[in-house]
Amino acid sequence: MDLLEDTGTGGNAPEFSVSEISGAVKGTIERSFGFIRVRGEIGRVSRPSSGHIYFDLKDDRAVLAAVSWKGQATKLQVRPEEGMEVIATGKLTTFPGQSKYQMIVEDIAPAGAGALMAMLEKRKAALAAEGLFDSARKRPLPYLPGVIGVVTSPSGAVIRDILHRLRDRFPRQVLVWPVAVQGEACASQVANAIRGFNALEPGGAIPRPDLIIVARGGGSIEDLWGFNEEIVVRAAAGSRIPLISAVGHETDTTLIDYAADRRAPTPTAAAELAVPVRLELIAQIQNFGARLSRAGTAAVTLRGQRLRDLARALPSADSLLSGPAQRLDSAWLRLGSALKGRTGDARVRLAQAGGAMQPRVLRQGLEERARRVGLAGEAMARGEARLLRDRGRDLREATARLAPRRLVERLDRPRDHLAALDARLRAVAKAGVTAEARRVAAVGRMLEGLGYERTLQRGYAVVRAGDAVVTTVAAAEKAAMLEIQFADGRMNVGGKAIKKAGKSDEPEQGNLF
Amino acid sequence: MTDKPVEEMSFEEAIKELESLVGRLEHGEVALDESIRLYERGAALKKRCEAKLKEAEEKVAQITMNESGQATGTKPFDA
């Protein structure tokens, strides 16, 4: 009943299959949202090998699944990255297989320059922290590169500007590596080109550049965005070939500028950094050539001049040689006669010596020597016998002298000597003590004579007040009691009474005057 | 002064040495033998520099690539 009633109550409504209703929803959504722009933050991004890009768009309350199909993905102005604030353009559709709806994204634009700049600053700081912008990494540019590699668009003003300026300054061999200079493909192509130039073998079929220029004309920040991408920055920083970046106008700065070895404000300026001016170099070489000839000639002429100066100062050969020549002449003249004289002398001496050389003379000498040898032999024999005899006698005498009695005698003698010395020592000590006693008595007497006591016997007296000796009237007047020492003892005198007696004397003396 | 053969020198090496060599020679404090040697080397360096300056032919080519983006060769470039 319930079932029947149920079917009965819904009887008016059409009945859909799942596919039918899903299809209907899909149609409705696609018609209603066929072209939309959605602003939001990019969430999780996944890039499977299929080439499609899947990501989320989100705000604080909702999430919208988004996909960019392979064909479209490469044309995106901005590569979607997590955290990026963007405005995505596209349409809504559904995915009936999972009861889902999602946005097909055809283009992504950063949501305002502020958001983009904030992201750029963050990326720049991260890459700088890695050391990719360190000045120590920078390579010097070659003075005159033989081959210059240019990474840029093959069509457009940029490559023409560069070639033109190179032609003006110093025509060189140029290799253009064509790349897209904006859009999704830009970053990967530029990075590939930088790596590609570095990968070329020196001396290979394609000449390896001595210098790379990465160039692009001016554009909006979005146009130049590829040159801010991490892969480009890393490729530039890793380039073993010195690299000049020239992206945008003077005021545009992209991250590749920080990683490049030099930054040129414009592509034309890059060409100026790349090569010197040939005509200036020719002039310079000619100048060096002229200076070389001048200095080389001067080196010779200056020395020639000096040689001539020195030659003038040299004395003439005649004056140097005349003295020795004269000495030679005179020596020559004396040589003949001296030689003659010398041979004459020698001849005379030879004759003399020859006269003495006769056999008789020699024999006499020999006989005399033989006789002296015989005599010496006899004397030696006699001497030997006498020597033996003498030594024997000496020995016997010495043996006789060796008797114990003599040793005892030699001991007794020192013993007697010791006793005598002892007696002498005692006598001397005694005498010494007596003499010292006498000296003490004498000194005592001397002391008495020098002391004041002896003076007392001659009529002097010592006046004291207490322990102090009184030597002035003034001191005596002050004392209460005076003690007078005579030779035979001491007595006390009342100070005042004596003072009065003194005073009474004084006026009498005063009257005399 | 390097002993590198002049024929193997880059333009920059040659012009640098030429400059310092001219300076030494002008100073006049080198022995005669040495100054003659310097002069001869200077002349060779100058010749080397001039030869390098003569190699000033413009050649522009474009890199050609395979599908994976690797350089395969060059073709004439027409801007």
Side-chain angles (χ1 to χ4, degrees), chain A residues 243-415:
Chain A
L243 186 144
I244 302 174
S245 72
V247 176
H249 292 307
E250 210 155 330
T251 50
D252 302 323
T253 302
T254 52
L255 293 188
I256 191 178
D257 292 332
Y258 297 103
D261 297 304
R262 286 291 291 275
R263 185 220 170 197
T266 60
T268 303
E272 286 168 3
L273 284 177
V275 293
V277 179
R278 181 169 168 265
L279 289 175
E280 284 175 12
L281 290 179
I282 289 173
Q284 202 179 347
I285 295 295
Q286 278 170 353
N287 176 31
F288 284 152
R291 282 167 61 191
L292 181 71
S293 307
R294 207 160 45 232
T297 314
V300 176
T301 50
L302 277 177
R303 282 173 170 84
Q305 185 61 46
R306 233 179 107 206
L307 179 62
R308 281 190 292 279
D309 290 350
L310 288 171
R312 268 199 293 280
L314 265 181
S316 75
D318 282 356
S319 68
L320 278 176
L321 292 178
S322 55
Q326 197 173 355
R327 274 175 63 202
L328 177 65
D329 286 345
S330 86
W332 180 251
L333 287 174
R334 273 157 48 205
L335 185 64
S337 60
L339 201 58
K340 235 176 272 171
R342 180 86 179 85
T343 40
D345 280 359
R347 195 170 297 126
V348 170
R349 281 172 59 197
L350 179 63
Q352 284 172 351
M357 290 288 271
Q358 288 171 359
R360 190 174 49 84
V361 177
L362 288 175
R363 202 180 311 123
Q364 255 178 11
L366 273 175
E367 283 168 358
E368 171 63 15
R369 280 176 172 80
R371 194 178 55 84
R372 277 160 62 186
V373 168
L375 285 176
E378 285 166 26
M380 207 163 78
R382 274 197 308 276
E384 203 173 352
R386 193 172 57 232
L387 195 66
L388 269 174
R389 212 165 48 234
D390 288 356
R391 287 284 146 83
R393 195 184 59 226
D394 287 352
L395 178 62
R396 278 190 302 279
E397 279 173 11
T399 320
R401 281 202 305 274
L402 267 177
R405 187 176 50 82
R406 298 182 78 101
L407 287 176
V408 174
E409 272 175 16
R410 280 173 76 172
L411 264 178
D412 284 349
R413 214 177 299 150
R415 197 179 293 140

Side-chain angles (χ1 to χ4, degrees), chain A residues 455-509:
Chain A
T455 327
L456 299 180
Q457 288 173 358
R458 295 207 302 273
Y460 292 87
V462 178
V463 183
R464 286 189 182 83
D467 287 340
V469 175
V470 176
T471 55
T472 61
V473 176
E477 281 172 349
K478 277 181 198 145
M481 175 79 81
L482 292 174
E483 184 199 78
I484 300 172
Q485 182 185 9
F486 293 100
D488 53 352
R490 298 182 184 203
M491 65 172 290
N492 289 330
V493 182
K496 310 248 166 166
I498 294 225
K499 253 189 265 173
K500 270 176 190 159
K503 266 188 181 172
S504 63
D505 282 346
E506 278 175 357
E508 282 179 25
Q509 284 183 350

Side-chain angles (χ1 to χ4, degrees), chain A residues 140-174:
Chain A
L141 303 184
Y143 188 74
L144 181 58
V147 181
I148 300 171
V150 182
V151 177
T152 191
S153 163
S155 56
V158 169
I159 186 63
R160 281 202 301 274
D161 285 350
I162 290 174
L163 291 176
H164 187 250
R165 187 50 58 100
L166 286 179
R167 199 174 299 135
D168 283 351
R169 291 171 71 87
F170 205 131
R172 299 276 79 188
Q173 186 174 357
V174 177

